[in-house]
Amino acid sequence: MAILNFQPHYLWQEVVTEGHVDRETGDWIDGESEWQKYLKCDITPAMDENRLVLIPDGSVVEYDYVVHLPQTCRKFEVGERVKLTMFDNDEERIYTVTGFHRYQLKCKMWIKGI
């Protein structure tokens, strides 16, 4: 029996810690970045002939996927890196956010592969 899943993908966010000087030794400690699973989402691929979108700030951007998120998600900044796990596979790809808009009932994020 097949069950339809309206949010079959996972969105990961990159958490970056800044570098700092160790107070005891005075040595520089490099910052680190790690990926944290953020939430389930749904994605829509861009069609070949329509890979451009006019985003709310008035600019036109190229994208590979539209990510549909719940209205309660955090605001993603243009240029931020995110990672997607599609259909619970182990394959993960990293993308750059090219646009984000919050609607009344959901949010849309346009992403482009790195």
Side-chain angles (χ1 to χ4, degrees):
M1 174 181 214
I3 297 176
L4 184 61
N5 186 354
F6 289 108
Q7 295 179 331
H9 315 291
Y10 276 103
L11 181 70
W12 296 69
Q13 64 183 354
E14 185 177 26
V15 178
V16 178
T17 57
E18 299 293 327
H20 63 280
V21 175
D22 188 343
R23 291 184 182 183
E24 295 177 8
T25 64
D27 294 335
W28 176 257
I29 298 174
D30 290 331
E32 298 177 353
S33 69
E34 65 178 3
W35 291 99
Q36 290 181 348
K37 192 181 274 189
Y38 181 54
L39 52 78
K40 292 184 82 162
C41 62
D42 188 27
I43 62 172
T44 306
M47 301 308 222
D48 288 336
E49 65 275 355
N50 187 14
R51 297 179 68 91
L52 300 175
V53 66
L54 177 66
I55 58 174
D57 70 358
S59 60
V60 177
V61 295
E62 186 177 358
Y63 69 98
D64 291 331
Y65 290 101
V66 177
V67 181
H68 304 275
L69 301 165
Q71 199 274 339
T72 57
C73 76
R74 72 175 184 84
K75 183 178 189 294
F76 287 87
E77 299 295 327
V78 172
E80 189 174 344
R81 294 183 344 151
V82 295
K83 185 164 54 170
L84 283 178
T85 304
M86 300 182 189
F87 299 112
D88 283 335
N89 290 336
D90 291 334
E91 182 180 341
E92 301 168 342
R93 285 197 56 197
I94 298 174
Y95 298 89
T96 302
V97 176
T98 57
F100 179 84
H101 186 69
R102 189 177 304 278
Y103 296 93
Q104 283 185 330
L105 300 177
K106 68 176 180 178
C107 294
K108 278 188 181 178
M109 179 171 55
W110 294 269
I111 58 175
K112 175 118 179 93
I114 295 178

